[in-house]
Coordinates of all heavy atoms in Angstrom, one line a residue:
M1 N -0.7 1.7 -22.7 CA -0.5 2.5 -21.5 C 0.8 3.2 -21.5 O 1.8 2.6 -21.7 CB -0.6 1.5 -20.3 CG -0.5 2.2 -19.0 SD -0.7 1.1 -17.5 CE -2.3 0.6 -17.6
N2 N 0.7 4.5 -21.4 CA 2.0 5.3 -21.3 C 2.6 5.3 -19.9 O 2.0 4.8 -19.0 CB 1.8 6.7 -21.9 CG 0.9 7.5 -21.1 OD1 0.8 7.5 -19.8 ND2 0.1 8.4 -21.7
L3 N 3.7 5.9 -19.8 CA 4.4 5.9 -18.5 C 3.6 6.6 -17.4 O 3.5 6.1 -16.3 CB 5.8 6.6 -18.6 CG 6.6 6.6 -17.3 CD1 6.9 5.2 -16.8 CD2 7.9 7.4 -17.6
D4 N 3.0 7.7 -17.7 CA 2.2 8.4 -16.7 C 1.0 7.6 -16.3 O 0.8 7.5 -15.0 CB 1.7 9.8 -17.3 CG 0.9 10.5 -16.3 OD1 1.4 10.9 -15.3 OD2 -0.4 10.8 -16.6
Q5 N 0.4 6.9 -17.1 CA -0.8 6.0 -16.8 C -0.3 4.9 -15.9 O -1.0 4.5 -15.0 CB -1.5 5.5 -18.0 CG -2.2 6.6 -18.8 CD -2.6 6.2 -20.2 OE1 -1.9 5.4 -20.9 NE2 -3.8 6.6 -20.6
L6 N 0.9 4.3 -16.3 CA 1.4 3.2 -15.5 C 1.8 3.6 -14.1 O 1.4 2.9 -13.1 CB 2.7 2.6 -16.2 CG 3.4 1.5 -15.5 CD1 2.6 0.3 -15.3 CD2 4.7 1.2 -16.2
Q7 N 2.4 4.8 -14.0 CA 2.8 5.2 -12.7 C 1.6 5.5 -11.8 O 1.5 5.2 -10.6 CB 3.6 6.5 -12.8 CG 5.0 6.2 -13.3 CD 5.8 7.5 -13.5 OE1 5.3 8.5 -13.9 NE2 7.1 7.4 -13.4
R8 N 0.5 6.1 -12.4 CA -0.7 6.4 -11.6 C -1.4 5.1 -11.2 O -1.9 4.9 -10.1 CB -1.6 7.2 -12.5 CG -1.2 8.6 -12.6 CD -2.1 9.5 -13.5 NE -1.5 10.7 -13.8 CZ -1.6 11.8 -13.0 NH1 -2.2 11.7 -11.9 NH2 -1.0 12.9 -13.4
A9 N -1.4 4.1 -12.1 CA -2.0 2.8 -11.8 C -1.3 2.1 -10.7 O -1.9 1.5 -9.7 CB -2.1 1.9 -13.1
V10 N 0.0 2.1 -10.7 CA 0.8 1.5 -9.7 C 0.6 2.2 -8.3 O 0.3 1.6 -7.3 CB 2.3 1.4 -10.0 CG1 3.1 1.0 -8.8 CG2 2.6 0.5 -11.2
F11 N 0.6 3.5 -8.3 CA 0.4 4.3 -7.1 C -1.0 4.1 -6.5 O -1.2 4.0 -5.3 CB 0.7 5.8 -7.3 CG 0.6 6.6 -6.1 CD1 1.5 6.3 -5.0 CD2 -0.3 7.6 -5.9 CE1 1.4 7.0 -3.8 CE2 -0.4 8.3 -4.8 CZ 0.5 8.1 -3.7
D12 N -2.0 4.0 -7.4 CA -3.4 3.8 -6.9 C -3.5 2.5 -6.1 O -4.2 2.4 -5.2 CB -4.4 3.8 -8.1 CG -4.6 5.2 -8.6 OD1 -4.3 6.2 -8.0 OD2 -5.2 5.3 -9.8
V13 N -2.8 1.5 -6.6 CA -2.9 0.2 -5.9 C -1.9 0.2 -4.6 O -2.3 -0.2 -3.6 CB -2.5 -1.0 -6.8 CG1 -2.4 -2.3 -6.0 CG2 -3.4 -1.1 -7.9
V14 N -0.8 0.7 -4.8 CA 0.2 0.8 -3.7 C -0.3 1.5 -2.5 O -0.1 1.1 -1.3 CB 1.6 1.3 -4.2 CG1 2.5 1.7 -3.0 CG2 2.2 0.3 -5.1
R15 N -1.0 2.6 -2.7 CA -1.5 3.4 -1.6 C -2.8 2.9 -0.9 O -3.2 3.5 0.1 CB -1.7 4.8 -2.0 CG -2.8 5.1 -2.9 CD -2.9 6.5 -3.3 NE -4.0 6.6 -4.3 CZ -4.5 7.7 -4.6 NH1 -4.1 8.9 -4.0 NH2 -5.5 7.8 -5.5
Q16 N -3.3 1.7 -1.4 CA -4.5 1.1 -0.7 C -4.0 0.6 0.6 O -3.0 0.0 0.8 CB -5.0 -0.1 -1.6 CG -5.5 0.3 -2.9 CD -6.8 1.2 -2.9 OE1 -7.7 0.9 -2.1 NE2 -6.8 2.3 -3.6
P17 N -4.8 0.9 1.7 CA -4.4 0.4 3.0 C -4.2 -1.1 3.1 O -4.9 -1.8 2.3 CB -5.6 0.9 3.9 CG -6.2 2.0 3.1 CD -6.0 1.7 1.7
L18 N -3.4 -1.5 3.9 CA -3.1 -3.0 4.1 C -4.3 -3.6 4.9 O -5.0 -2.9 5.6 CB -1.8 -3.2 4.9 CG -0.6 -2.8 4.2 CD1 0.6 -2.9 5.1 CD2 -0.3 -3.5 2.9
T19 N -4.4 -4.9 4.8 CA -5.4 -5.6 5.6 C -4.9 -5.6 7.1 O -3.8 -5.2 7.4 CB -5.6 -7.0 5.1 OG1 -4.4 -7.7 5.2 CG2 -6.1 -7.0 3.7
E20 N -5.8 -6.2 8.0 CA -5.4 -6.3 9.4 C -4.1 -7.1 9.6 O -3.4 -6.9 10.5 CB -6.6 -6.9 10.2 CG -7.7 -6.0 10.4 CD -7.4 -4.8 11.3 OE1 -6.7 -5.1 12.3 OE2 -7.9 -3.7 11.1
D21 N -3.9 -8.1 8.7 CA -2.7 -9.0 8.8 C -1.6 -8.5 7.9 O -0.7 -9.2 7.6 CB -3.1 -10.4 8.5 CG -3.6 -10.7 7.1 OD1 -4.0 -9.7 6.5 OD2 -3.6 -11.9 6.7
E22 N -1.6 -7.1 7.6 CA -0.6 -6.4 6.8 C -0.3 -7.0 5.5 O 0.9 -7.1 5.1 CB 0.7 -6.4 7.7 CG 0.5 -5.6 9.0 CD 1.7 -5.5 9.8 OE1 2.6 -6.3 9.7 OE2 1.7 -4.5 10.7
R23 N -1.3 -7.4 4.8 CA -1.2 -7.9 3.4 C -2.0 -7.0 2.5 O -2.7 -6.1 2.9 CB -1.9 -9.3 3.3 CG -1.3 -10.4 4.2 CD 0.2 -10.6 4.1 NE 0.6 -10.9 2.7 CZ 1.2 -12.0 2.4 NH1 1.5 -12.9 3.3 NH2 1.6 -12.2 1.1
M24 N -1.7 -7.1 1.2 CA -2.4 -6.3 0.2 C -3.9 -6.8 0.1 O -4.2 -8.0 0.2 CB -1.8 -6.4 -1.2 CG -2.3 -5.5 -2.2 SD -1.2 -5.3 -3.6 CE -1.6 -6.8 -4.5
R25 N -4.8 -5.9 -0.1 CA -6.2 -6.2 -0.2 C -6.5 -6.9 -1.5 O -5.8 -6.7 -2.5 CB -7.0 -4.9 -0.2 CG -6.9 -4.2 1.1 CD -7.7 -2.8 1.0 NE -7.6 -2.1 2.3 CZ -8.5 -2.2 3.3 NH1 -9.5 -3.0 3.1 NH2 -8.4 -1.6 4.4
E26 N -7.5 -7.7 -1.5 CA -8.0 -8.4 -2.7 C -8.7 -7.5 -3.6 O -8.7 -7.7 -4.9 CB -8.8 -9.6 -2.4 CG -8.1 -10.7 -1.7 CD -8.9 -12.0 -1.5 OE1 -10.0 -12.1 -2.0 OE2 -8.5 -12.8 -0.7
H27 N -9.3 -6.4 -3.1 CA -10.0 -5.4 -3.9 C -9.6 -4.0 -3.4 O -9.4 -3.8 -2.2 CB -11.5 -5.6 -3.8 CG -12.0 -6.9 -4.4 ND1 -12.0 -8.1 -3.6 CD2 -12.4 -7.2 -5.6 CE1 -12.5 -9.1 -4.4 NE2 -12.7 -8.6 -5.6
T28 N -9.6 -3.1 -4.3 CA -9.3 -1.7 -4.0 C -10.6 -1.2 -3.2 O -11.6 -1.8 -3.2 CB -9.1 -0.9 -5.2 OG1 -10.2 -0.9 -6.0 CG2 -7.8 -1.3 -6.0
L29 N -10.4 0.0 -2.6 CA -11.5 0.5 -1.9 C -12.7 0.8 -2.8 O -13.9 0.9 -2.3 CB -11.1 1.8 -1.2 CG -10.0 1.6 -0.1 CD1 -9.6 2.9 0.5 CD2 -10.5 0.6 1.0
D30 N -12.5 1.0 -4.1 CA -13.6 1.2 -5.0 C -14.1 -0.1 -5.6 O -14.9 -0.1 -6.6 CB -13.3 2.3 -6.0 CG -12.1 1.9 -6.9 OD1 -11.6 0.8 -6.8 OD2 -11.8 2.8 -7.8
G31 N -13.6 -1.2 -5.1 CA -14.2 -2.5 -5.6 C -13.4 -3.2 -6.7 O -13.8 -4.3 -7.1
R32 N -12.4 -2.6 -7.2 CA -11.6 -3.3 -8.4 C -10.7 -4.4 -7.8 O -10.2 -4.3 -6.7 CB -10.8 -2.3 -9.1 CG -11.6 -1.2 -9.8 CD -10.8 -0.1 -10.5 NE -10.1 0.6 -9.5 CZ -8.9 1.1 -9.6 NH1 -8.2 1.0 -10.7 NH2 -8.3 1.8 -8.6
S33 N -10.5 -5.4 -8.6 CA -9.7 -6.6 -8.2 C -8.2 -6.2 -8.3 O -7.8 -5.8 -9.4 CB -10.0 -7.8 -9.1 OG -8.9 -8.7 -9.0
T34 N -7.5 -6.3 -7.2 CA -6.1 -5.9 -7.2 C -5.3 -7.0 -8.1 O -4.3 -6.6 -8.7 CB -5.5 -5.9 -5.8 OG1 -5.8 -7.0 -5.1 CG2 -6.0 -4.6 -5.1
K35 N -5.8 -8.2 -8.1 CA -5.2 -9.2 -8.9 C -5.3 -8.8 -10.4 O -4.3 -8.9 -11.1 CB -5.8 -10.6 -8.7 CG -5.2 -11.7 -9.5 CD -5.8 -13.0 -9.3 CE -5.1 -14.1 -10.1 NZ -5.8 -15.3 -10.1
A36 N -6.4 -8.4 -10.8 CA -6.6 -8.0 -12.2 C -5.8 -6.8 -12.6 O -5.1 -6.8 -13.7 CB -8.1 -7.7 -12.5
I37 N -5.7 -5.9 -11.7 CA -4.9 -4.7 -11.9 C -3.4 -5.1 -12.0 O -2.7 -4.6 -12.9 CB -5.1 -3.6 -10.8 CG1 -6.5 -3.1 -10.9 CG2 -4.1 -2.4 -11.0 CD1 -7.0 -2.3 -9.7
A38 N -3.0 -5.9 -11.0 CA -1.6 -6.3 -11.0 C -1.1 -7.0 -12.2 O -0.1 -6.8 -12.8 CB -1.3 -7.2 -9.7
E39 N -2.0 -7.9 -12.7 CA -1.7 -8.7 -13.9 C -1.6 -7.8 -15.1 O -0.9 -8.1 -16.1 CB -2.7 -9.8 -14.1 CG -2.5 -10.9 -13.0 CD -3.6 -12.0 -13.0 OE1 -4.6 -11.8 -13.7 OE2 -3.4 -13.0 -12.3
E40 N -2.3 -6.7 -15.1 CA -2.3 -5.8 -16.2 C -1.0 -4.9 -16.3 O -0.5 -4.6 -17.3 CB -3.5 -4.9 -16.2 CG -3.7 -3.9 -17.3 CD -4.9 -3.0 -17.2 OE1 -5.9 -3.5 -16.6 OE2 -4.8 -1.9 -17.7
I41 N -0.5 -4.6 -15.1 CA 0.6 -3.6 -15.0 C 1.9 -4.1 -14.6 O 2.9 -3.5 -14.7 CB 0.2 -2.4 -14.1 CG1 -0.1 -2.8 -12.7 CG2 -1.0 -1.6 -14.8 CD1 -0.4 -1.6 -11.8
V42 N 2.0 -5.4 -14.0 CA 3.2 -5.9 -13.5 C 3.5 -7.3 -14.1 O 2.6 -8.1 -14.1 CB 3.2 -6.0 -12.0 CG1 4.5 -6.6 -11.4 CG2 3.0 -4.7 -11.3
K43 N 4.6 -7.5 -14.6 CA 5.0 -8.8 -15.2 C 5.5 -9.7 -14.1 O 6.3 -9.3 -13.3 CB 6.1 -8.6 -16.2 CG 6.4 -9.8 -17.0 CD 7.4 -9.5 -18.1 CE 7.8 -10.8 -18.8 NZ 8.7 -10.6 -19.9
P44 N 5.0 -10.9 -14.0 CA 5.5 -11.9 -13.0 C 6.9 -12.3 -13.4 O 7.4 -12.1 -14.6 CB 4.5 -13.1 -13.1 CG 4.0 -13.0 -14.5 CD 4.0 -11.6 -14.9
N45 N 7.7 -12.9 -12.5 CA 9.0 -13.4 -12.8 C 9.0 -14.9 -12.4 O 7.9 -15.5 -12.0 CB 10.1 -12.6 -12.2 CG 10.1 -12.6 -10.7 OD1 9.6 -13.5 -10.0 ND2 10.6 -11.6 -10.1
D46 N 10.1 -15.5 -12.4 CA 10.2 -17.0 -12.1 C 10.0 -17.3 -10.6 O 9.8 -18.5 -10.2 CB 11.5 -17.6 -12.6 CG 12.7 -17.0 -11.9 OD1 12.7 -15.8 -11.5 OD2 13.7 -17.6 -11.8
R47 N 9.9 -16.3 -9.7 CA 9.7 -16.5 -8.3 C 8.5 -15.9 -7.7 O 7.9 -16.4 -6.7 CB 10.9 -15.9 -7.5 CG 12.2 -16.7 -7.8 CD 13.4 -16.0 -7.0 NE 13.3 -14.6 -7.2 CZ 14.3 -13.9 -7.7 NH1 15.4 -14.4 -8.1 NH2 14.2 -12.6 -7.8
L48 N 8.0 -14.8 -8.3 CA 6.8 -14.1 -7.8 C 5.8 -13.8 -8.8 O 6.1 -13.5 -10.0 CB 7.3 -12.7 -7.2 CG 8.3 -12.8 -6.0 CD1 8.8 -11.4 -5.7 CD2 7.7 -13.4 -4.8
T49 N 4.5 -13.9 -8.4 CA 3.4 -13.5 -9.3 C 3.3 -12.0 -9.4 O 4.0 -11.3 -8.6 CB 2.1 -14.1 -8.7 OG1 1.8 -13.4 -7.5 CG2 2.1 -15.5 -8.5
S50 N 2.5 -11.5 -10.3 CA 2.3 -10.1 -10.4 C 1.8 -9.5 -9.1 O 2.3 -8.4 -8.7 CB 1.3 -9.8 -11.5 OG 1.8 -10.3 -12.8
V51 N 0.9 -10.2 -8.5 CA 0.3 -9.7 -7.2 C 1.4 -9.6 -6.1 O 1.5 -8.7 -5.4 CB -0.9 -10.6 -6.8 CG1 -1.3 -10.2 -5.4 CG2 -2.0 -10.5 -7.7
E52 N 2.2 -10.7 -6.0 CA 3.2 -10.7 -5.0 C 4.3 -9.6 -5.2 O 4.7 -9.0 -4.2 CB 3.9 -12.1 -5.0 CG 3.1 -13.2 -4.5 CD 3.6 -14.6 -4.8 OE1 4.4 -14.7 -5.7 OE2 3.3 -15.5 -4.0
R53 N 4.6 -9.3 -6.4 CA 5.5 -8.2 -6.7 C 4.9 -6.9 -6.3 O 5.6 -6.0 -5.7 CB 5.9 -8.3 -8.2 CG 6.7 -9.5 -8.5 CD 7.2 -9.5 -10.0 NE 8.3 -8.5 -10.1 CZ 8.8 -8.1 -11.2 NH1 8.4 -8.5 -12.3 NH2 9.8 -7.2 -11.2
L54 N 3.7 -6.7 -6.7 CA 3.0 -5.4 -6.3 C 2.8 -5.3 -4.8 O 2.9 -4.2 -4.3 CB 1.7 -5.3 -7.1 CG 1.1 -3.9 -7.1 CD1 2.1 -2.8 -7.7 CD2 -0.1 -3.9 -8.0
E55 N 2.6 -6.4 -4.2 CA 2.3 -6.4 -2.7 C 3.6 -5.9 -2.0 O 3.5 -5.2 -1.0 CB 1.9 -7.8 -2.2 CG 1.6 -7.8 -0.8 CD 1.2 -9.1 -0.3 OE1 1.8 -10.1 -0.7 OE2 0.3 -9.2 0.5
I56 N 4.8 -6.2 -2.5 CA 6.0 -5.8 -1.9 C 6.0 -4.2 -1.8 O 6.3 -3.7 -0.7 CB 7.2 -6.3 -2.6 CG1 7.4 -7.8 -2.5 CG2 8.5 -5.5 -2.2 CD1 8.4 -8.4 -3.4
Y57 N 5.6 -3.6 -2.9 CA 5.6 -2.1 -2.9 C 4.5 -1.6 -2.0 O 4.7 -0.5 -1.3 CB 5.5 -1.6 -4.3 CG 6.7 -1.8 -5.2 CD1 6.8 -2.9 -6.0 CD2 7.8 -1.0 -5.0 CE1 7.9 -3.2 -6.8 CE2 8.9 -1.2 -5.8 CZ 9.0 -2.3 -6.7 OH 10.1 -2.5 -7.4
N58 N 3.4 -2.2 -2.0 CA 2.2 -1.9 -1.1 C 2.7 -1.9 0.3 O 2.4 -0.9 1.1 CB 1.1 -2.8 -1.4 CG -0.2 -2.5 -0.6 OD1 -0.8 -3.4 -0.2 ND2 -0.6 -1.2 -0.5
R59 N 3.3 -3.0 0.7 CA 3.8 -3.1 2.1 C 4.9 -2.1 2.5 O 4.8 -1.5 3.6 CB 4.2 -4.5 2.4 CG 3.0 -5.5 2.3 CD 3.4 -6.9 2.4 NE 3.5 -7.2 3.9 CZ 4.1 -8.2 4.4 NH1 4.7 -9.1 3.6 NH2 4.2 -8.3 5.7
V60 N 5.8 -1.9 1.6 CA 6.9 -0.9 1.8 C 6.3 0.5 2.0 O 6.8 1.2 2.9 CB 8.0 -1.0 0.7 CG1 8.9 0.2 0.8 CG2 8.7 -2.3 0.8
Y61 N 5.4 0.8 1.1 CA 4.7 2.1 1.2 C 4.1 2.4 2.6 O 4.4 3.4 3.3 CB 3.7 2.3 0.2 CG 2.9 3.5 0.2 CD1 3.3 4.7 -0.4 CD2 1.6 3.6 0.9 CE1 2.6 5.9 -0.3 CE2 0.9 4.8 0.9 CZ 1.4 5.9 0.3 OH 0.6 7.1 0.4
W62 N 3.3 1.4 3.1 CA 2.6 1.5 4.4 C 3.6 1.4 5.6 O 3.4 2.1 6.6 CB 1.4 0.6 4.5 CG 0.3 1.2 3.7 CD1 -0.1 0.8 2.4 CD2 -0.5 2.3 4.1 NE1 -1.1 1.6 2.0 CE2 -1.4 2.6 3.0 CE3 -0.5 3.1 5.2 CZ2 -2.3 3.6 3.0 CZ3 -1.5 4.1 5.2 CH2 -2.3 4.4 4.2
F63 N 4.6 0.5 5.5 CA 5.5 0.4 6.6 C 6.3 1.7 6.7 O 6.5 2.2 7.9 CB 6.4 -0.8 6.4 CG 5.7 -2.2 6.5 CD1 6.2 -3.3 5.9 CD2 4.5 -2.3 7.2 CE1 5.6 -4.5 6.0 CE2 3.9 -3.5 7.3 CZ 4.4 -4.6 6.7
G64 N 6.7 2.2 5.6 CA 7.5 3.5 5.6 C 6.6 4.6 6.2 O 7.0 5.4 7.0
F65 N 5.3 4.6 5.7 CA 4.4 5.6 6.2 C 4.2 5.6 7.7 O 4.3 6.6 8.4 CB 3.0 5.4 5.5 CG 2.0 6.4 5.9 CD1 1.9 7.6 5.3 CD2 1.0 6.0 6.7 CE1 0.9 8.5 5.6 CE2 0.0 6.9 7.1 CZ -0.1 8.1 6.5
S66 N 4.0 4.4 8.2 CA 3.8 4.3 9.7 C 5.1 4.6 10.5 O 5.0 5.1 11.6 CB 3.3 2.9 10.0 OG 4.2 1.9 9.8
L67 N 6.2 4.3 9.9 CA 7.5 4.7 10.6 C 7.7 6.2 10.7 O 8.3 6.7 11.6 CB 8.7 4.0 9.9 CG 8.8 2.5 10.1 CD1 9.9 1.9 9.3 CD2 9.0 2.2 11.6
R68 N 7.2 6.9 9.7 CA 7.4 8.4 9.6 C 6.4 9.1 10.4 O 6.6 10.3 10.8 CB 7.4 8.8 8.2 CG 8.6 8.4 7.4 CD 8.6 9.1 6.0 NE 7.5 8.7 5.2 CZ 7.4 7.6 4.4 NH1 8.4 6.8 4.4 NH2 6.3 7.4 3.7
L69 N 5.2 8.5 10.7 CA 4.2 9.2 11.4 C 4.6 9.9 12.8 O 4.3 11.0 13.0 CB 3.0 8.3 11.7 CG 2.1 8.1 10.5 CD1 1.0 7.1 10.8 CD2 1.4 9.4 10.1
P70 N 5.3 9.1 13.6 CA 5.6 9.7 14.9 C 6.5 11.0 14.8 O 6.4 11.9 15.6 CB 6.4 8.6 15.7 CG 5.9 7.3 15.0 CD 5.6 7.7 13.6
T71 N 7.4 11.0 13.8 CA 8.3 12.2 13.7 C 7.6 13.3 13.0 O 7.9 14.5 13.2 CB 9.6 11.8 12.9 OG1 9.3 11.2 11.7 CG2 10.4 10.8 13.7
T72 N 6.6 13.0 12.2 CA 5.8 14.0 11.5 C 4.8 14.6 12.4 O 4.5 15.8 12.3 CB 5.1 13.4 10.2 OG1 6.1 12.8 9.4 CG2 4.4 14.5 9.4
F73 N 4.2 13.8 13.2 CA 3.2 14.2 14.2 C 3.6 13.9 15.6 O 2.9 13.0 16.2 CB 1.8 13.6 13.8 CG 1.4 14.0 12.4 CD1 1.6 13.1 11.4 CD2 0.8 15.2 12.1 CE1 1.2 13.4 10.1 CE2 0.4 15.5 10.8 CZ 0.6 14.6 9.8
P74 N 4.6 14.4 16.2 CA 5.1 14.0 17.5 C 4.1 14.2 18.6 O 4.0 13.3 19.5 CB 6.3 14.8 17.7 CG 6.2 16.0 16.8 CD 5.4 15.6 15.6
D75 N 3.3 15.3 18.6 CA 2.3 15.4 19.7 C 1.2 14.4 19.6 O 0.8 13.9 20.7 CB 1.7 16.9 19.6 CG 2.7 18.0 19.9 OD1 3.7 17.7 20.6 OD2 2.5 19.1 19.4
C76 N 0.8 14.1 18.4 CA -0.2 13.0 18.3 C 0.4 11.7 18.7 O -0.3 10.9 19.4 CB -0.7 12.9 16.8 SG -1.7 14.3 16.3
A77 N 1.6 11.4 18.4 CA 2.3 10.2 18.7 C 2.4 10.0 20.3 O 2.1 9.0 20.8 CB 3.7 10.1 18.1
R78 N 2.7 11.1 20.9 CA 2.7 11.1 22.4 C 1.4 10.9 23.0 O 1.2 10.2 24.0 CB 3.4 12.4 22.9 CG 4.9 12.4 22.9 CD 5.5 13.6 23.6 NE 5.2 14.9 23.0 CZ 5.8 15.4 22.0 NH1 6.8 14.7 21.4 NH2 5.5 16.6 21.5
S79 N 0.4 11.5 22.4 CA -1.0 11.4 23.0 C -1.6 10.1 22.7 O -2.2 9.5 23.6 CB -1.9 12.5 22.4 OG -1.4 13.8 22.7
L80 N -1.5 9.6 21.5 CA -2.2 8.4 21.1 C -1.4 7.1 21.2 O -1.9 6.1 21.4 CB -2.7 8.5 19.6 CG -3.6 9.6 19.3 CD1 -3.8 9.7 17.8 CD2 -4.9 9.4 20.0
G81 N -0.1 7.3 21.2 CA 0.8 6.1 21.1 C 1.0 5.7 19.6 O 0.1 6.0 18.8
R82 N 2.1 5.1 19.3 CA 2.4 4.8 17.9 C 1.4 3.9 17.2 O 1.0 4.2 16.1 CB 3.8 4.2 17.9 CG 4.3 3.9 16.5 CD 5.7 3.2 16.5 NE 6.2 3.2 15.2 CZ 7.4 3.5 14.8 NH1 8.2 3.9 15.8 NH2 7.8 3.4 13.6
K83 N 1.0 2.9 17.9 CA 0.1 1.9 17.3 C -1.2 2.5 17.0 O -1.8 2.3 15.8 CB -0.1 0.7 18.2 CG -0.7 -0.5 17.6 CD -0.6 -1.7 18.5 CE -0.6 -3.0 17.8 NZ -0.5 -4.1 18.6
L84 N -1.8 3.3 17.9 CA -3.1 3.9 17.6 C -3.0 5.0 16.6 O -3.9 5.2 15.7 CB -3.6 4.5 18.9 CG -5.1 5.0 18.9 CD1 -6.1 4.0 18.4 CD2 -5.5 5.5 20.2
L85 N -1.8 5.8 16.6 CA -1.6 6.8 15.6 C -1.6 6.2 14.2 O -2.3 6.7 13.3 CB -0.3 7.5 15.8 CG 0.1 8.6 14.8 CD1 -0.8 9.8 14.9 CD2 1.6 9.0 15.1
T86 N -0.9 5.1 14.0 CA -0.8 4.4 12.7 C -2.2 3.9 12.3 O -2.7 4.1 11.2 CB 0.1 3.2 12.8 OG1 1.4 3.7 13.1 CG2 0.2 2.5 11.4
K87 N -2.9 3.3 13.2 CA -4.3 2.9 12.9 C -5.2 4.0 12.5 O -6.0 3.9 11.6 CB -4.8 2.1 14.2 CG -6.1 1.4 13.9 CD -6.5 0.5 15.1 CE -7.8 -0.2 14.7 NZ -7.6 -1.7 14.8
F88 N -5.1 5.1 13.2 CA -5.9 6.3 12.9 C -5.6 6.8 11.5 O -6.6 7.1 10.8 CB -5.6 7.4 14.0 CG -6.3 8.7 13.7 CD1 -7.6 8.9 14.0 CD2 -5.6 9.8 13.1 CE1 -8.3 10.1 13.7 CE2 -6.2 11.0 12.9 CZ -7.5 11.1 13.2
F89 N -4.4 6.9 11.1 CA -4.1 7.5 9.8 C -4.3 6.5 8.7 O -4.4 6.9 7.5 CB -2.6 8.0 9.8 CG -2.5 9.4 10.3 CD1 -2.1 9.6 11.6 CD2 -2.7 10.4 9.4 CE1 -2.0 10.9 12.1 CE2 -2.6 11.7 9.9 CZ -2.2 11.9 11.2
S90 N -4.4 5.2 9.0 CA -4.6 4.2 7.9 C -6.0 3.7 7.9 O -6.4 2.8 7.1 CB -3.6 3.1 8.0 OG -3.8 2.4 9.2
A91 N -6.9 4.3 8.7 CA -8.3 3.8 8.8 C -9.0 4.1 7.5 O -8.8 5.1 6.8 CB -9.0 4.6 9.9
T92 N -9.8 3.1 7.1 CA -10.6 3.2 5.8 C -12.1 3.3 6.1 O -12.5 2.9 7.1 CB -10.3 2.0 4.9 OG1 -10.6 0.8 5.6 CG2 -8.9 2.0 4.5

């Protein structure tokens, strides 16, 4: 796997919406196992599994996304409220 393929694989998993309890999904929206993908592209360390390491990036991506929504779409944020706006944009 070259660098471009690695970056695309990581981004494909990271941009998957979080579950209701703000965790990484067990399967991507197209049905692939996130555990299998993580084990293929991320090396575990002495404290975290491949899945746990990738989940950190998945959560940071979505938390950052939801924090930027109100400033990017202020009228929608005022109309819908922050919580509903985030739910609307992350709906699957």
Side-chain angles (χ1 to χ4, degrees):
M1 180 178 293
N2 65 35
L3 179 60
D4 181 60
Q5 292 168 323
L6 175 63
Q7 289 174 328
R8 289 177 191 276
V10 169
F11 185 62
D12 283 346
V13 175
V14 165
R15 68 183 176 160
Q16 297 293 314
L18 299 174
T19 62
E20 287 290 321
D21 60 344
E22 298 180 336
R23 303 303 305 240
M24 189 165 76
R25 295 174 179 269
E26 290 184 15
H27 295 88
T28 61
L29 296 177
D30 62 2
R32 295 176 295 146
S33 165
T34 53
K35 180 179 180 188
I37 296 168
E39 289 173 349
E40 182 180 330
I41 61 176
V42 179
K43 186 176 179 179
N45 63 27
D46 61 330
R47 294 178 313 241
L48 299 171
T49 67
S50 299
V51 172
E52 291 167 333
R53 293 184 73 190
L54 195 54
E55 183 178 42
I56 291 169
Y57 291 99
N58 182 219
R59 295 177 80 195
V60 166
Y61 175 85
W62 282 100
F63 293 155
F65 180 79
S66 66
L67 288 173
R68 289 186 301 273
L69 280 174
T71 56
T72 305
F73 301 100
D75 293 335
C76 290
R78 278 190 293 280
S79 299
L80 298 173
R82 183 185 189 133
K83 197 171 201 175
L84 188 57
L85 177 69
T86 300
K87 189 172 183 124
F88 175 77
F89 275 94
S90 62
T92 57

